[in-house]
Amino acid sequence: MMKKVRYRLYLGMLLTAALASLFFCFLYRYNNKYTQNSVQAINGLLVLTQEEIEEDPCRFLWNDWMYYPGVLLSPDDFSQGDPDRYMTYTDISASNRMEISQDSSNTNYGCGTYVMRCQLPDGISYYAMDMPEIFSAYNMYVNEKLVMSMGNPQPNNYKDATGNRMVVFSPDENGMATIIIAVSNQSHIYGGMTYPPAFGTMQCLNYVRGIRLAFCLCMLFLMLISVAVSLYLWKKIHSINAICFFLLCFLMTGWMSYPILHTMVILPVFPAYFLEILFCYLTLFMMVVMHNYICNVYSKAAWISSGISLLICLGVSVYSLCSGALSDSAADFVSRLLKVYKFSLAGYMIATSCFTVHKHRRHQAKQLLYVSVFFACACVWERIFPDYDPIFGGWFLEWVCLFLVIVVAGMLCKLLTQSYLQNLLMTQQHRLMEKQLIMQTNYTHQLNIQIEERRRAVHDFRHHMRVVQTMAEKCGNQEIPEYLNFLSEYTTVPGDFKVQVESGKPTVDALFYYYQSMAEIKKIDMNLQWILPGRFPLSDVEICTLLGNLLENAIEACERLDGESVRKITLKTSVTECMWCITIENTYDGILNLQSDSLPETRKSDAIYHGIGLSSVSHIVKKHHGSLDLLPKGKLFLVGITIPI
């Protein structure tokens, strides 16, 4: 059976890896600015016909830009032809550098000018360019006109700015449009143009831009709904799952909102990109924390992994703040370190998920295992496809986090549904027990009254018998006194006859009597030492609910032991000036599966309708600001409860 479970697990991992790989390959092929089947520029010249414009009204210009490093040029510098300066052809990618000189120690920073000439057909009067973020200030010219300025690229008055803007222009009378982008960067670890701009007709670019924003808004709306729902559930049920999910969705909201912010407003590089990087790695940190909690990872491993993730997050934040003073080699080292961190994180999540599934057979861990495989595939394909810039949606890692949110949301909905059903059962159990306790109390009261009336009647009847006996003796009839003496043996009332009330509460006595009788039948040695303070905050219903669930669980644990094992239950209570303490210790078979809330899972087949005993006990203890401790020790299981009085 165990081998069959493992084969299913490995098959699920392989299937997840295959589906994830197909998904990332699909994104790379059909949602990538670099893989469009459209005409690109050659040696800085883009020639388009009317048919090519109609066939592809939107294209991303990433190939063969003319690049002049180390200088900010304007249309005046091209009035007499290309300036006599060093020029090279470059593709637009994240690996671009501002300075190309071999002896430069900080080539991400500096200035440069990108130039492209477009020969366009006469049929269209106006064209548009959708400009992504360019690091970190630039002036854009089209045919000797300044059409857009972002910040101030002049070194003496440098001011960074970032934003996503669309400009509209028309070619000259010859159908030529010369695009000049003079860029300066002194603020960011990336320099110059790292994302390809979109070029095409106004209608098509507005259409693409609208779809991209609509997709981002839908994702952001989903995150905000998740934030609101998880926060509401946390306030209602105080579940750690809910607050962890709230923090995860909140951080993802901050991380995934940057495309909308860059489109709506112009922002300075700091703190815009600092916050973007911070939210990104805080999301990974929260993903580790939630993974450790749901998989119930050992405390040392959980603390170490969470600590490393937090240190990485803080280190990346400091790196982002100090990026202006770092060299290319330092930036490359940090980039490689972060890639190793992502691969290590994926391996850690896969290993801990597999261990949890094998040891505890928990369905939640199996789902997180598949998310971990998805995350690992994203890290692999991110390395295989370095030239990936999404047209719609986010990067590979953003898709992973979105998938994680969907999976965790489904798990949380299932847990909340189970909690809701258990709360209904607990409410019904509480009401039924309250009615039973009222009936038991009334019955005990009536029984005591009847016992007292019987004792009084028997006592009075004995006096009448003595009178009759005396009258019979006076009459000389010996048979009547002998018969009365015979009856007196049945009407004798022992002087110490009374109802044994050890706890001072009839309902608790009845409960103890029931479980003591059950323990005797099942051959369980039960030892009860009970004491209550004079002023006690728990009602009779709450006391019986607490005791009934604990004793029932202890008896069920002893029943699972074989006939040769020791079956023993010990209940002790103690009272201090401010605390009431109770401990219940019982023998058990040593098998214990813990849930995410650290309470043992039920071992009955229908988990929804069982396993609410300790949850009910925990609810009562928390209601009265007490503490509940579960301490398994080998073959002994100890439950300790303290309640302030």
Side-chain angles (χ1 to χ4, degrees), residues 332-401:
D332 292 339
F333 172 77
V334 173
S335 178
R336 288 192 295 269
L337 178 64
L338 293 178
K339 291 172 184 176
V340 172
Y341 164 67
K342 292 175 184 177
F343 276 107
S344 302
L345 180 58
Y348 168 77
M349 293 174 64
I350 292 175
T352 52
S353 299
C354 283
F355 178 77
T356 304
V357 171
H358 282 301
K359 184 176 181 181
H360 302 298
R361 300 183 184 179
R362 300 180 64 181
H363 184 62
Q364 296 94 333
K366 188 182 296 184
Q367 292 178 334
L368 288 180
L369 172 61
Y370 297 149
V371 175
S372 304
V373 173
F374 191 74
F375 179 54
C377 290
C379 296
V380 171
W381 288 105
E382 190 177 47
R383 297 295 297 155
I384 296 176
F385 298 142
D387 293 331
Y388 173 72
D389 191 353
I391 301 174
F392 306 112
W395 307 84
F396 288 167
L397 193 57
E398 293 179 34
W399 283 104
V400 172
C401 292

Side-chain angles (χ1 to χ4, degrees), residues 562-573:
D562 53 37
E564 298 179 356
S565 300
V566 177
R567 299 184 177 188
K568 187 176 181 180
I569 298 174
T570 302
L571 184 147
K572 295 181 181 180
T573 58

